[in-house]
Amino acid sequence: MADAGALGRAGAIALLLCSVLLWSRSRRADARRGRACAVAALFVALGIHGMGAQLERADAARIEAPRDALLEGRVARVASRPGGLALELHRVRAVSGDPLPARLRLSAPAGSIRERLLLPGDQLRLRARLRPAEGRVNPGRPDPARRWARAGIGGLGHVVHPELVARLPQREGFRLLASLHGFRSRAALRLRQRGAGGGLLAALALGDRGALPAEVREGCRKLGISHLLAVSGLHLALLAVMALRIALPLCARVSRTDPRGAALVAALGAAAVYALLAGFGVPVRRALILLIALAASRSAGRSVHWSAPLAGAALWILGREPQALFDPGAQLSFAACAGLAGSTRPGPRGARGVRGMLFSSATALAATAPVAAGAFGSVAPWGWASNAVAIPWTALLLLPVALAAALWAGLAPAGGGVPLDLAAALGSASVAAVVWLSERLPLLAATEPAPSALLAGVLAALGTMRLRSLRGRLLASAAIATGLALAPAASDPGPLPRAVFLDVGQGDATVIQGRRGTLLVDAGRAFPAGDVGRSVVLPALRSLGVTRLDALALSHADLDHRGGAVSVLRAIPVDELWLPGGGLAEPAFAEAVAAAHERGVSVRERARGATPVWLGDLRVATLWPPARGGPSSRNDRSLVLRVEVDGLRLLLPGDLEADAEAALLQSPGALRAHVLKLAHHGSRTSSTPDFLAAVGPDVAVASAPRFGRFEMPHAEVRDRLRRAGSALWWTGRDGAVGVALGRRLWVRGWRQPPSRRRAAMPLRASRR
């Protein structure tokens, strides 16, 4: 959930006073209810107050422009990512004495830093290239800058010279947790080397999800079982039970008194060590506090109401990390725990076995669906069914194997050998099953549903908690999830027809929606470290209400244009895939063409002279490249499309450069357009003055990062646009750019709130 509704420190103090008042005025008859409300108000007040402090820390010495810095800092977190490492530094200071944010997030290429150096608590000295803590802003995804600010992070960056990273001597001498962190790092590395199966074991046992392919994470999300990948209460409870069963007979042999107390202490100790080993995240801390409270009540011979340890966990976590109040993982964890602990119990026939498991799965789905819909824009109405299979499989087989494999990987002197290979084979089989099943199930999604829909979902979930029958709870949970998936979005992207130029960094992805047709031109890049098609384009399509594409056009074979197309083709129905003339002979298109054939998508080459195509109410004309011959440059062979709807024209020239632009000037009338996507991201080798004069756009959009390696859009191009009288919008500065194609061109940058849409200049008289 967003922090836009945070009340600030004054509001936090007011809430704190309200909580004290509620507590003091609670009568005996309703003392439990009143005090529960008081505790809720108290921890929300603590979270808001702490969040104010975090945001102030993020603002202090915030990075405003890219720069290099030699700095020192202490490692707070280390995580492996596909293609590299991510580390968070706190207590940062510049060696030169220049002001720097106290907390930074850095990345480093895989294998560039020795893993033994990167342990939480290590004091490092390194040189980094820093930039502002800004991310891509698109429909369907919250602004990541808010998340970083909540954590007090004032800048991002990457390590400039990884081989020169130095670990400094520790001032406090011996660090108690260094051996534990080293064990975790060594075990995770050996498991990750076993591929996706080993990556799944590392995620289950150690909370290290860096080796999990994106399709596995997406598959778990579609099936509603993502919570199993995060070490949580299930993992901790299972380990505590295993430790208790081992400790009981051992304590009975060495002690003549009741061995249960000593065995319980040993089990809690094992759970605490495992919690530290698994990263000590919010779900683990919450589960550990609950285990300690339940063990204390068992030892004292008295019952403790579930709300007391849950409130204690919330207060303790918020006191140390106030951003957890807005963290979706923490929200899901507490919502599921509260739902399971506070709901009405099933009848006698449904308390055990498969029925009890289905009952619990439906309860957790109902409790977490509003949080998942608000935070991630996705819910899985069949989550109760997939959890009914996945939880026993994980708890009884996969998790014990993962724990044993992690223990062996951390202690074995060599690489792990056959035992790790066998364990990874079981993980690989589980991964294959998840991917196979998820590809055959649709994902119902509603990106940031309207507040009224979320409120209705919360009220329905509270009502579901009172149902005692299994059938009623299953139907209610599925209805809540489906209703949230189909609910209207919180923000209106603008009326149809419209064009949305997505913020994909260095690359292109443009969605053009008519009233009856949709065209996607390019789909961003894809690397092992991230697939823009999966992470940006697909969520944006869902947010914009696109359930199928009439056509997906790839302007040319550069990776930053065609990389994400495979994910799009595999995730959403597409009628046709368009390539530039001669594209079928281009090896770089082979993967996209193969994905299209797998899905039964027609593949067509488009070239100059082809008959314009109607996609619903969108009229699409192909202006370039020539059917035969033509330029040898890949950029100059880009597919150039002109889209017309309701008398308005958009021109999409791919990465065309000056020579090809000059060739197009032979037919200047065909180039006239109201909206122009700048060729080649605004490079100075494109968008010549003659070309801009022939197009005469009211609005020009540059798809390029704000702080990229190349100066795009180039200052010369910006000056040409000023002289031409065209308004420039830029995805790196404005976020995704939406253009409503009505009688006036309404333009919105997604970095602005929806209430601050800006209108472009009126259409020129010659084009009305």
Side-chain angles (χ1 to χ4, degrees), residues 583-656:
L584 287 172
E586 175 71 59
F589 281 131
E591 189 177 5
V593 171
H597 289 159
E598 289 173 8
R599 297 291 177 174
V601 178
S602 299
V603 181
R604 303 183 186 277
E605 291 185 353
R606 305 287 299 172
R608 184 175 61 179
T611 303
V613 176
W614 284 93
L615 304 178
D617 54 340
L618 303 176
R619 185 177 186 271
V620 186
T622 305
L623 307 185
W624 195 263
R628 296 182 180 179
S632 59
S633 163
R634 179 183 283 180
N635 284 346
D636 278 345
R637 294 199 309 270
S638 290
L639 182 64
V640 178
L641 300 176
R642 188 191 67 215
V643 183
E644 187 171 354
V645 56
D646 288 353
L648 295 176
R649 288 181 171 186
L650 294 84
L651 188 64
L652 305 167
D655 275 2
L656 219 62

Side-chain angles (χ1 to χ4, degrees), residues 393-466:
W393 175 259
T394 302
L396 300 178
L397 182 62
L398 201 56
L399 184 56
V401 170
L403 291 171
L407 186 64
W408 178 259
L411 296 177
V418 176
L420 287 190
D421 293 336
L422 294 175
L426 178 64
S428 298
S430 303
V431 164
V434 166
V435 173
W436 181 86
L437 185 59
S438 66
E439 288 179 348
R440 285 154 180 81
L441 289 175
L443 175 66
L444 295 179
T447 301
E448 296 185 21
S452 57
L454 287 177
L455 178 60
V458 171
L459 294 176
L462 292 175
T464 303
M465 300 300 108
R466 312 308 300 171

Side-chain angles (χ1 to χ4, degrees), residues 174-373:
F174 176 75
R175 291 185 296 111
L176 183 61
L177 298 179
S179 298
L180 192 63
H181 291 314
F183 175 90
R184 182 176 187 263
S185 177
R186 182 168 59 254
L189 178 62
R190 289 178 175 177
L191 289 174
R192 292 198 305 268
Q193 291 171 346
R194 263 70 184 180
L200 178 61
L201 300 181
L204 291 172
L206 302 170
D208 186 326
R209 292 179 283 181
L212 277 178
E215 58 267 21
V216 178
R217 295 194 294 270
E218 179 70 12
C220 290
R221 189 169 70 91
K222 290 178 70 173
L223 295 176
I225 57 175
S226 294
H227 61 96
L228 295 178
L229 298 179
V231 177
S232 60
L234 172 67
H235 308 68
L236 205 67
L238 177 62
L239 185 130
V241 169
M242 293 169 58
L244 185 64
R245 291 181 176 177
I246 294 173
L248 269 175
L250 293 178
C251 292
R253 289 185 180 182
V254 300
S255 175
R256 296 182 179 180
T257 59
D258 188 353
R260 287 177 294 183
L264 195 60
V265 171
L268 289 177
V273 171
Y274 175 62
L276 292 171
L277 189 64
F280 212 53
V282 170
V284 176
R285 279 173 276 162
R286 184 263 305 160
L288 182 61
I289 293 174
L290 292 178
L291 278 177
I292 293 173
L294 293 174
S297 65
R298 179 75 177 241
S299 300
R302 53 183 296 185
S303 61
V304 175
H305 191 260
W306 64 270
S307 60
L310 191 64
L315 290 172
W316 183 58
I317 291 170
L318 287 172
R320 299 183 68 250
E321 297 178 70
Q323 67 268 22
L325 181 65
F326 303 97
D327 179 62
Q331 293 170 0
L332 288 170
S333 175
F334 279 97
C337 186
L340 291 170
S343 66
T344 302
R345 301 296 182 211
R349 294 180 57 192
R352 295 177 179 272
V354 176
R355 290 177 61 86
M357 193 169 299
L358 288 173
F359 195 91
S360 298
S361 296
T363 301
L365 175 62
T368 57
V371 178

